[in-house]
Amino acid sequence: MIRHGRLQRFSGSLVMSSFMSMALSGVFSLLEFGISWSWLQAWGQSILIALPIAFSLDMIFGDRLRFLSGKLADKAASVWL
């Protein structure tokens, strides 16, 4: 049985990496091709490449990066507030 924390981490990584892969591959392929059928084809192919890479990176570095962002937010809050 998978613990709730692991399942939440896995699903969070999947949602975030999916969103970022679709958004960034869409924007950069749009800049390259403009709105066209070629763009849609390139976007679809880019997602298939970007998603497993983004998911793997999030699973490997995600916890450390969230910890670092929390520390940065704490530091910024102490300076600005």
Side-chain angles (χ1 to χ4, degrees):
M1 185 95 169
I2 298 176
R3 289 188 345 216
H4 183 267
R6 279 186 191 230
L7 188 57
Q8 186 175 6
R9 179 174 179 244
F10 182 82
S11 63
S13 293
L14 183 60
V15 168
M16 182 60 79
S17 60
S18 297
F19 173 75
M20 295 302 291
S21 296
M22 289 188 329
L24 291 175
S25 63
V27 167
F28 287 115
S29 60
L30 178 66
L31 292 174
E32 183 71 26
F33 294 100
I35 296 178
S36 65
W37 290 112
S38 298
W39 166 62
L40 287 174
Q41 184 179 18
W43 188 12
Q45 291 172 347
S46 297
I47 291 169
L48 293 177
I49 295 167
L51 181 57
I53 294 169
F55 179 76
S56 299
L57 289 172
D58 191 78
M59 290 299 290
I60 293 168
F61 299 110
D63 289 339
R64 285 177 248 166
L65 292 172
R66 282 184 279 281
F67 176 78
L68 176 61
S69 66
K71 289 293 186 185
L72 290 172
D74 291 345
K75 186 73 155 179
S78 69
V79 170
W80 292 339
L81 298 178

